[in-house]
């Protein structure tokens, strides 16, 4: 294998000599130096240029330059891949352990890398994958002259195993008990959130704090939903640790600050099994809902088989209970369900009714269930609380409704005033549907609505595969002086939508705390004629993040 790699590198180097036309100092070779040394010198110079300018990363010929993946080449031209590329593009499950070990799973392949194998570059961990590409279902072509690497999938994209259980990979936190309260939504949200840091870091987050400090008007006896969880996390209200705000005592501490910051969450509409499985495999448990014909403390139902801990509902009732899906089994027998569905297969679900329920708190739900995974949320990016110093927002209640102009495209903007000398670092917003193309702009010297047209400059762009909450980091320094008004503008194109803008608005009794005085937002169809969001009784869901200068 090493001989083949050496031959490939020599051919690459010869191609570089022919195409690159090196300068005089690059053409010169030390008399008596071996051919290998000369070729290695050329390769090292080219690799240094690639390291400086960046690698043009492609998949099947399509460049991923706008997506920000930072794949590297080491000094032997071997590929080093970060976690986000391994998950998002190569469709691996990446599990990092406290001892520094990293496990890569793809289909039936399981690879182990020790801490000594991993390279740390700019506080980011890179896995050496060149010697394992075939096992991971890929071949790669190099063009060192142009600084280009192209990944080609050769296994038909079949990366999901027939069965997967997060419990077997140390990716779940302990089962908990909601008691008589209507807090299943918070248990499901935080159970899913906790899973994305495992097995590297186990944290138990406070359900009481999420249930009682989310900005909405509801008490512990009422149910909630994923949009409430998302608003609470995106607004930096939480999460906080369970040890600091324990469950079930009827008390909470509103002065606690978030111990993590959410950067991204994706929402999968309609039950598409491969997307659901992929999200679990790559990111963690997913929060979803189903109709439970039985209630807490009553484990008897015509749809529940206690002997096999399996559940299948085939009626028309709407969902009334949230839980976390942590795996699947395509061959789970349909005969285990009562009544019997038409097909084999089940999702493995973590409930919040204590370990007395089901298989120590877990149970199987048929793929054919009427409600399971019809809408699912998975939290994909969680950071330490010092990722940004400041948050600017006017949408504490988050994505309550949508607005637009009966077209799939629109512009929306929020105006903020810098509280000190700061540097703009990122913005966040909701994509209200899949395959949303977006562009981000800034106006640094905002005076009035006319500034939204003449003074904006583009600072980011991209595409989201799913609906969800997204944070866009800004790679250029945009300095803001204390008291300076600035505007963030986002344009979106969401196929199939007529109202692609997420807004905070009156959503009934639960949104009684809606505050329309805390923001200055605008909406537009083409970014030319603007309308005040607040005059339409809404706040635009668009946040800005800064660092103190």
């Amino acid at each position: 294998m090493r001989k083949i790699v050496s031959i490939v590198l020599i051919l690459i180097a010869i191609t570089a000599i022919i195409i690159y036309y090196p300068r005089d100092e690059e053409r010169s070779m030390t008399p008596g130096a071996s051919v290998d040394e000369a070729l290695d010198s050329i390769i090292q110079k080219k690799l240094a240029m690639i390291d400086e300018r960046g690698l043009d990363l492609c998949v099947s010929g399509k460049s991923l330059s706008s997506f920000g993946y930072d794949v590297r080449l080491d000094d032997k031209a071997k590929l080093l891949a970060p976690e986000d590329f391994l998950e998002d593009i190569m469709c691996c499950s990446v599990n990092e352990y406290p001892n520094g070990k990293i496990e890569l799973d793809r289909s039936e392949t399981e690879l182990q890398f020790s801490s000594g194998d991993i390279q740390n570059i700019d506080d980011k961990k890179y896995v050496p994958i060149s010697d394992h590409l075939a096992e991971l279902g890929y071949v790669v072509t190099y063009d060192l002259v142009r600084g280009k690497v192209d990944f080609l999938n050769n296994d038909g994209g079949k990366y999901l195993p027939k069965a997967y259980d997060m419990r077997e990979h140390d990716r779940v936190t302990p089962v908990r008990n909601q008691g008589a309260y209507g807090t299943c939504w918070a248990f499901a949200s935080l159970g899913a959130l906790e899973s994305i840091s495992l097995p590297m870091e186990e944290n138990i987050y406070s359900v009481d704090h999420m249930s009682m400090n989310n900005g909405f008007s509801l008490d512990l006896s009422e149910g909630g939903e994923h949009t409430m969880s998302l608003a609470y996390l995106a607004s930096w209200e939480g999460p906080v640790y369970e040890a600091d705000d324990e469950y079930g005592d009827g008390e909470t501490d509103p002065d606690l600050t978030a111990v993590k910051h959410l950067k991204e969450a994706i929402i999968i509409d309609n039950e598409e099994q491969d997307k659901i499985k992929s999200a679990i495999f790559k990111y963690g448990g997913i929060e979803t809902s189903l109709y439970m014909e039985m209630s807490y403390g009553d484990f008897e139902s015509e749809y529940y088989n206690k002997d096999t801990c399996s559940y299948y509902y085939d009626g028309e009732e709407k969902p009334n209970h949230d839980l976390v899906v942590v795996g699947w089994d395509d061959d789970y027998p349909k005969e285990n369900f009562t009544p019997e569905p038409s097909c084999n297969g089940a999702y493995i679900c973590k409930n919040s009714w204590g370990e007395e329920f089901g298989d120590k708190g877990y149970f199987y739900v048929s793929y054919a269930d009427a409600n399971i995974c019809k809408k699912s949320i998975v939290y994909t990016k969680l950071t330490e609380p010092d990722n940004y110093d400041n948050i600017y927002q006017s949408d504490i209640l988050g994505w309550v409704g949508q607005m637009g102009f009966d077209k799939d495209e629109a512009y929306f903007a929020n105006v903020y005033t810098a509280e000190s000398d700061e540097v703009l670092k990122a913005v966040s917003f909701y994509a209200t549907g899949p395959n949303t193309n977006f562009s981000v702009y800034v106006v640094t010297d905002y005076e009035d609505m006319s500034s939204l047209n003449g003074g904006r400059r583009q600072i980011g762009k991209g595409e989201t595969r799913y609906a969800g909450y997204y944070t866009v980091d800004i790679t250029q320094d945009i300095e803001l002086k204390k008291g300076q008004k600035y505007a963030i503008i986002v344009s979106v194109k969401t196929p199939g939508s007529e109202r692609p803008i997420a807004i905070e608005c009156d959503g009934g009794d639960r949104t009684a705390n809606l505050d329309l005085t805390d923001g200055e937002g605008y909406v537009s169809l083409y970014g030319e004629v603007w309308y005040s969001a607040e005059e339409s009784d809404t706040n635009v869901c668009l946040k800005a993040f800064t660092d103190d200068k």
Side-chain angles (χ1 to χ4, degrees):
M1 180 65 184
R2 291 181 178 175
K3 290 182 179 180
I4 294 173
V5 172
S6 297
I7 292 171
V8 170
L9 290 175
I10 290 171
L11 290 174
I12 291 169
I14 292 171
T15 303
I17 294 171
I18 295 172
I19 299 177
Y20 180 52
Y21 295 112
R23 298 184 298 269
D24 289 341
E25 66 270 24
E26 292 174 328
R27 287 202 299 265
S28 64
M29 298 181 185
T30 304
S34 68
V35 173
D36 287 344
E37 290 174 342
L39 292 176
D40 184 65
S41 175
I42 294 172
I43 291 171
Q44 293 306 312
K45 289 178 180 177
K46 194 59 190 173
L47 289 173
M49 292 178 62
I50 292 172
D51 188 57
E52 180 182 347
R53 298 176 182 176
L55 190 65
D56 184 8
L57 185 62
C58 301
V59 173
S60 299
K62 181 180 179 181
S63 176
L64 300 181
S65 59
S66 63
F67 290 86
Y69 295 110
D70 188 25
V71 173
R72 303 288 186 97
L73 293 175
D74 68 11
D75 58 3
K76 302 297 182 184
K78 296 236 178 160
L79 286 163
L80 302 171
E83 181 177 355
D84 56 355
F85 180 80
L86 291 167
E87 289 178 340
D88 298 346
I89 305 302
M90 297 189 70
C91 300
C92 296
S93 176
V94 184
N95 300 318
E96 184 179 353
Y97 292 82
N99 63 2
K101 181 186 78 172
I102 288 182
E103 174 186 301
L104 293 188
D105 297 325
R106 192 179 190 278
S107 186
E108 305 303 328
T109 296
E110 183 177 301
L111 301 174
Q112 305 280 346
F113 298 86
S114 69
S115 58
D117 298 324
I118 310 302
Q119 290 202 30
N120 289 279
I121 305 173
D122 298 332
D123 295 325
K124 199 171 184 179
K125 295 183 178 180
Y126 291 80
V127 181
I129 60 172
S130 284
D131 295 337
H132 305 282
L133 290 168
E135 297 170 88
L136 296 173
Y138 282 85
V139 294
V140 171
T141 60
Y142 292 78
D143 185 345
L144 291 187
V145 174
R146 296 178 176 84
K148 177 180 176 181
V149 173
D150 195 4
F151 281 74
L152 302 170
N153 179 250
N154 65 352
D155 65 0
K158 298 176 181 178
Y159 62 90
L160 292 170
K162 291 181 67 65
Y164 186 79
D165 188 339
M166 289 174 57
R167 292 175 292 181
E168 298 174 358
H169 297 267
D170 301 318
R171 296 180 65 193
V172 295
T173 48
V175 169
R176 301 181 65 190
N177 195 331
Q178 71 184 70
Y181 296 113
T183 51
C184 62
W185 64 278
F187 277 101
S189 298
L190 295 177
L193 186 73
E194 291 161 357
S195 72
I196 72 172
S197 300
L198 290 167
M200 183 63 182
E201 180 182 359
E202 180 178 274
N203 294 314
I204 308 298
Y205 298 124
S206 171
V207 169
D208 254 17
H209 196 271
M210 174 177 275
S211 301
M212 303 170 73
N213 296 279
N214 53 52
F216 291 87
S217 301
L218 73 164
D219 58 40
L220 294 179
S221 64
E222 298 181 76
E225 59 179 5
H226 70 275
T227 55
M228 296 180 179
S229 308
L230 200 48
Y232 164 85
L233 296 169
S235 299
W236 291 6
E237 298 300 318
V240 305
Y241 293 127
E242 168 68 14
D244 295 329
D245 195 343
E246 295 184 357
Y247 182 69
D249 59 5
E251 299 179 357
T252 186
D253 183 354
D255 295 325
L256 292 173
T257 58
V259 296
K260 299 285 183 181
H261 285 166
L262 180 69
K263 288 193 70 175
E264 182 180 290
I266 61 176
I267 298 170
I268 304 173
D269 287 317
N270 299 318
E271 197 256 322
E272 298 182 58
Q273 284 187 20
D274 282 350
K275 290 182 178 180
I276 299 298
K277 294 174 183 176
S278 178
I280 297 168
F281 190 61
K282 294 191 289 186
Y283 304 118
I286 65 168
E287 174 190 357
T288 191
S289 56
L290 75 171
Y291 175 73
M292 290 290 275
E293 198 263 344
M294 53 190 167
S295 58
Y296 170 78
D298 178 14
F299 303 154
E300 301 290 338
S301 169
E302 62 180 303
Y303 304 105
Y304 179 59
N305 186 330
K306 293 182 67 173
D307 295 332
T308 59
C309 305
S310 59
Y311 185 84
Y312 166 53
Y313 175 72
D314 59 353
E316 297 181 359
E317 294 288 345
K318 294 182 179 180
N320 62 358
H321 184 63
D322 283 7
L323 43 72
V324 187
V325 182
V326 300
W328 69 87
D329 184 350
D330 290 344
D331 296 326
Y332 190 82
K334 62 183 180 181
E335 291 80 13
N336 283 359
F337 294 100
T338 304
E340 185 176 309
S342 60
C343 61
N344 292 333
Y347 293 111
I348 304 169
C349 299
K350 177 185 178 183
N351 204 5
S352 54
W353 290 352
E355 292 190 359
E356 293 75 23
F357 172 76
D359 177 15
K360 297 182 178 179
Y362 293 83
F363 67 120
Y364 294 86
V365 178
S366 171
Y367 286 162
D369 185 88
N371 293 297
I372 190 72
C373 294
K374 291 298 185 288
K375 183 179 285 289
S376 308
I377 181 169
V378 57
Y379 302 97
T380 52
K381 291 183 181 179
L382 192 67
T383 72
E384 296 303 315
D386 60 355
N387 62 332
Y388 313 116
D389 291 333
N390 310 295
I391 183 172
Y392 290 85
Q393 59 184 334
S394 59
D395 60 323
I396 299 297
L397 303 183
W399 179 5
V400 178
Q402 293 175 220
M403 70 184 307
F405 300 88
D406 295 329
K407 291 186 178 294
D408 64 0
E409 57 188 314
Y411 284 70
F412 51 98
N414 262 349
V415 177
Y416 296 112
T417 302
E419 295 179 357
S420 62
D421 290 348
E422 300 169 2
V423 179
L424 182 66
K425 302 300 291 184
V427 302
S428 71
F429 59 93
Y430 295 93
T432 58
N435 304 314
T436 294
N437 282 283
F438 67 86
S439 294
V440 182
Y441 307 86
V442 65
V443 176
T444 53
D445 294 303
Y446 180 85
E447 294 182 0
D448 54 34
M449 193 188 302
S450 64
S451 302
L452 299 175
N453 290 339
R456 68 184 182 227
R457 58 173 161 140
Q458 189 172 27
I459 55 175
K461 66 178 181 178
E463 179 181 353
T464 70
R465 294 175 59 193
Y466 301 96
Y469 173 76
Y470 293 91
T471 302
V472 181
D473 287 311
I474 298 168
T475 57
Q476 53 190 284
D477 287 341
I478 299 173
E479 297 187 358
L480 304 167
K481 296 293 186 181
K482 181 178 181 179
Q484 180 177 343
K485 293 189 74 173
Y486 64 98
I488 303 298
I489 305 170
V490 175
S491 68
V492 292
K493 184 177 178 63
T494 304
S497 175
E498 294 184 346
R499 294 174 176 82
I501 304 172
I503 55 171
E504 180 191 50
C505 59
D506 185 355
D509 292 341
R510 288 184 176 180
T511 59
N513 296 329
L514 174 65
D515 183 2
L516 295 176
T517 67
D518 61 350
E520 181 182 350
Y522 299 93
V523 296
S524 174
L525 175 55
Y526 298 119
E528 298 171 354
V529 179
W530 294 86
Y531 304 91
S532 168
E534 283 73 26
E535 289 181 4
S536 298
D537 296 327
T538 67
N539 283 321
V540 171
C541 295
L542 175 56
K543 305 179 192 289
F545 304 92
T546 68
D547 279 348
D548 296 327
K549 187 176 176 183

